[in-house]
Amino acid sequence: MFESTIDFPFKSVLSFSRLIDLWRQLLSKGGSLDTAIINAVDQELKNKPELLEPITDLKVLEKNRNLIDMLLNIVFPPAFNDQDYGAAFVPFQNETIHVTPNFKRLWPSENCMDFGNVTTLDEERWAMGRIVTACSLILKTFYDLTFSIDFPLIVKMDDPETHLDRFLKISFDSRFVEVQKTKKLKPLSDADKEWILAEGNDPNRWLKIVPPDRFLFHGFGVCRAVDVTDQEVLSSLKRDLIEKESLFSSEGFLKLHEKLRIYLGQPDLRMDLAAFNGDEIMILNPEHKMEKGCIFSDSEHCVRADFSGSLFADVVEKGEQRVIRDLRNCQKNSRVEQHMLEMGVRSLFVAPLYYQDKFQGTFSVKSPKPGAFSMLDTLKLQEITPLFSMALNRAMEELNNRVQSIIKEKCTAIHPSVEWRFNRAALNFMQKENPNVTELEPILFPNVYPLYGVSDIRDSSDYRNAALQSDLVEQFEMVRRIIGLALEKKPLPILDALNHRIRKSIEEVKDNLNSGDEVDKADFIRKEIEPVLDHLMETVPDMRNPIESYRNIVEPTSGVIYHKRKEFEESISRINEAISAYLDEEEETAQSFFPHYFEKMKTDGVDHTIYIGASMVEDLKFDILYLKNLRLWQLMVMCGVAWRTEDLKATASMPLEAAHLILVQDTPLSIRFRPDERRFDVDGAYDIRHEIIKKRIDKARIKGSSERLTQPGKIAIVYSHGREMREYLKYIDYLQDENYLEKEIERLELENLQGVYGLHALRVAVNLEAARKRPFVAPESVKKGVLKL
């Protein structure tokens, strides 16, 4: 069958002896076949003695075709001619002596047994298989050695009617083949027998064990084929859909398309895949050019609204497949159905695609013929639908990974509430793929309302300076005592001078600590005192122990004492972590009211910024009610923050206190993502005023006095306009009734800040005892308050 490097070495000759013997057995038994027919056949055979001998000239077959066909009727029953794929052939040769109509239809060539390159086996395996099969017959006949041979053979043929591929599994029947020895048999050693059963993979060794010149095959072989197109195509589809290229290359997608046509046996089908990504739909079909290996870049884009009212929308909404026998009779008559009719589509199958209960998109098959899909076709399509769901899910995961990679590269971490906008920008960036464009498109959110709040550690700078003073004085006192001890043991004028400078440093630190003193004093200790201590350890008796004791107290990396500063920083950190954790937990509740942008920053305290507005959501309707809801929530949360910071004082190393402030702005502004800083900032000169106030407001003082606006245990609400004050007075009134706030309200005017004028404030004390009973803000309390107002 192939021009292989392994030639088939055995000789064979056509013979009907075994078939004739079978007929004579039937004659002698007087079995189910009509005795008269058997007698007639036997009489014909007597008149055709050439058929009783080995046939070397195949022209004999044509002269006796009717009789040979009659003989072969017990091998190929005429009743099954329209269904069976079968043929008889000269043993191990390509010459056929009989073929069924179906076999002939698929192999119209004169030599039906020449499968060419359509077999699933390569040339070497095919040639090896023929040799092993021949040897197995010899071993069974003459050596009583039987072993099973798994010789699967799948051939792919072109169906002459549909011009689609068909897959047939071929099997061979050797019952009418006999082996004759022409020379003395060669003994079979135990080693050869073991090799045959264990390995048997070397054709040359086979031919040494069973020399071809000692045997001759007589008779004819029988070949039968079973249509396994569905199984083969289904297995192939599974393999293809595991590979990424099957969906994202024109060649791969066309192969899928062709296999689907073969699977259903319809050459004029068209397949579509639609992936849903929010409101966007990405459609893959054979007409669309695929070059970039990405479902977004290689697909046709549209939006859900384009399919509104169509049967596709119906399938997505109900989550059930649909079969339309004829689009002309379809109850749906949207633009989608009309367009398909114009394109010549008459029949349609549409199925929703789910992966682990998550909706992915749709899979559709279209035909120009009405009634193209039967119940059997529907069942076959249901079997492959999960394969496309899996492939589509993988494609969407890869797309999301690419989008997230771009976002992380260009923008770092993004708040979930605005992630959709960055996803869209990343997709647009991918779609352009312009080497001159290296940044994402501008990301701007216009007309959003800002909410700003800060819980600041009161007098943190004073506490930090006091801690620094205490640590420096403690360290200088320790080294002064060490130098004094060294003077007693070794009175050197230079040590006395150094001690004088240490005493002056102590006085300077106690008197007034300047901004640069921390670095200067540390340099003095490291550069001038430490070298002296090193020398004293080596040269002055009994100085090693006190110096080592001193060095065990200082920080090894910085060389300074860090006692009070550590207490201060730990106290700051405890307060910051408590506030931050509380805000994070409450923020989860606030997001359930309406999506919004939230960020916080920890310094000496925690400040947070919120933006909310219609432009920040993709598919929700914004109402001013949600802004009021968030403002009330923020005020309630600041009461909770005040309680938590107050509660920490009891166990803190330093009695730090926090003051709380809310900045109100009723006028919306625009924010823009700054790629260089990788954060949001206000956009436009007018809106900059809000940022300036945020940076300076915590230092504000009450007009006509030196009193700071922010006070521990109280919340200051800064505003510019009377309408803002009136709104927050309603919130305060409600929270006073709910025991969040004390009854007294201070209405204050603020001193002008640099570049900022005309600010006012409300200040109210938090009911700390009542707040302790409310560990978290209840969503129903917020909703109740807004509705009440």
Side-chain angles (χ1 to χ4, degrees), residues 399-409 419 423 426:
L399 172 62
N400 184 62
N401 290 338
R402 289 186 67 173
V403 168
Q404 294 306 314
S405 176
I406 292 173
I407 291 175
K408 288 177 181 178
E409 177 187 349
E419 188 175 355
N423 287 345

Side-chain angles (χ1 to χ4, degrees), residues 468-504:
L468 175 59
Q469 282 179 313
S470 177
D471 286 342
L472 286 176
V473 169
E474 180 184 359
Q475 186 164 4
F476 278 129
E477 289 287 1
M478 289 188 71
V479 295
R480 186 179 64 83
R481 286 194 292 271
I482 291 173
I483 298 299
L485 183 62
L487 275 169
E488 294 176 2
K489 298 180 179 297
K490 194 172 186 178
L492 296 174
I494 191 65
L495 293 178
D496 194 36
L498 182 60
N499 225 1
H500 173 73
R501 291 182 61 192
I502 292 173
R503 285 194 298 270
K504 285 193 66 176

Side-chain angles (χ1 to χ4, degrees), residues 407-414 439 673-680:
I407 291 175
K408 288 177 181 178
E409 177 187 349
K410 307 293 182 182
C411 314
T412 66
I414 299 300
E439 297 295 336
F673 182 77
R674 308 289 183 187
D676 52 344
E677 299 178 8
R678 301 201 172 188
R679 61 183 297 270
F680 278 104

Side-chain angles (χ1 to χ4, degrees), residues 619-635:
D619 52 8
L620 294 175
K621 182 178 175 63
F622 175 74
D623 189 275
I624 204 69
L625 179 71
Y626 297 118
L627 172 62
K628 293 181 178 180
N629 199 81
L630 202 55
R631 283 174 172 170
L632 177 58
W633 167 86
Q634 183 189 36
L635 186 53

Side-chain angles (χ1 to χ4, degrees), residues 539-742:
T539 59
V540 180
D542 302 327
M543 290 302 298
R544 177 173 293 275
N545 287 340
I547 293 174
E548 285 182 347
S549 298
Y550 158 75
R551 286 180 171 171
N552 287 334
I553 294 175
V554 301
E555 287 290 321
T557 54
S558 61
V560 298
I561 287 179
Y562 207 68
H563 295 162
K564 290 297 181 180
R565 277 173 288 181
K566 185 176 182 180
E567 288 181 4
F568 170 77
E569 290 178 0
E570 287 177 349
S571 298
I572 289 282
S573 178
R574 284 189 66 200
I575 293 173
N576 284 352
E577 290 303 322
I579 296 174
S580 180
Y582 176 66
L583 287 175
D584 286 341
E585 291 182 80
E586 290 290 357
E587 167 61 11
E588 290 185 20
T589 301
Q591 286 290 345
S592 68
F593 299 147
F594 193 83
H596 55 273
Y597 180 81
F598 176 89
E599 66 178 4
K600 66 181 188 299
M601 182 178 295
K602 290 185 285 188
T603 51
D604 287 355
V606 179
D607 63 271
H608 65 270
T609 300
I610 299 171
Y611 297 109
I612 186 172
S615 65
M616 303 198 78
V617 290
E618 186 174 17
D619 52 8
L620 294 175
K621 182 178 175 63
F622 175 74
D623 189 275
I624 204 69
L625 179 71
Y626 297 118
L627 172 62
K628 293 181 178 180
N629 199 81
L630 202 55
R631 283 174 172 170
L632 177 58
W633 167 86
Q634 183 189 36
L635 186 53
M636 296 169 79
V637 166
M638 290 299 270
C639 293
V641 171
W643 166 70
R644 277 161 174 71
T645 53
E646 180 70 18
D647 199 49
L648 287 173
K649 287 168 58 177
T651 56
S653 302
M654 290 187 176
L656 302 179
E657 294 185 305
H660 316 284
L661 178 144
I662 291 174
L663 175 61
V664 183
Q665 176 163 318
D666 204 35
T667 305
L669 47 75
S670 298
I671 59 172
R672 179 188 294 268
F673 182 77
R674 308 289 183 187
D676 52 344
E677 299 178 8
R678 301 201 172 188
R679 61 183 297 270
F680 278 104
D681 204 352
V682 296
D683 188 62
Y686 176 79
D687 295 334
I688 290 296
R689 180 176 183 271
H690 179 74
E691 289 297 301
I692 293 173
I693 297 175
K694 282 169 55 177
K695 287 178 172 60
R696 299 173 182 172
I697 193 61
D698 62 322
K699 306 298 185 201
R701 298 184 180 275
I702 297 171
K703 192 170 186 178
S705 75
S706 59
E707 181 185 349
R708 289 271 298 272
L709 169 64
T710 54
Q711 296 293 328
K714 295 183 178 182
I715 298 174
I717 302 167
V718 179
Y719 62 91
S720 299
H721 304 288
R723 64 178 181 274
E724 298 168 343
M725 177 196 69
R726 289 188 289 273
E727 180 179 341
Y728 271 83
L729 283 174
K730 294 177 182 178
Y731 300 151
I732 291 171
D733 181 64
Y734 168 67
L735 294 182
Q736 286 173 334
D737 289 344
E738 294 290 317
N739 287 325
Y740 275 82
L741 300 172
E742 302 288 358

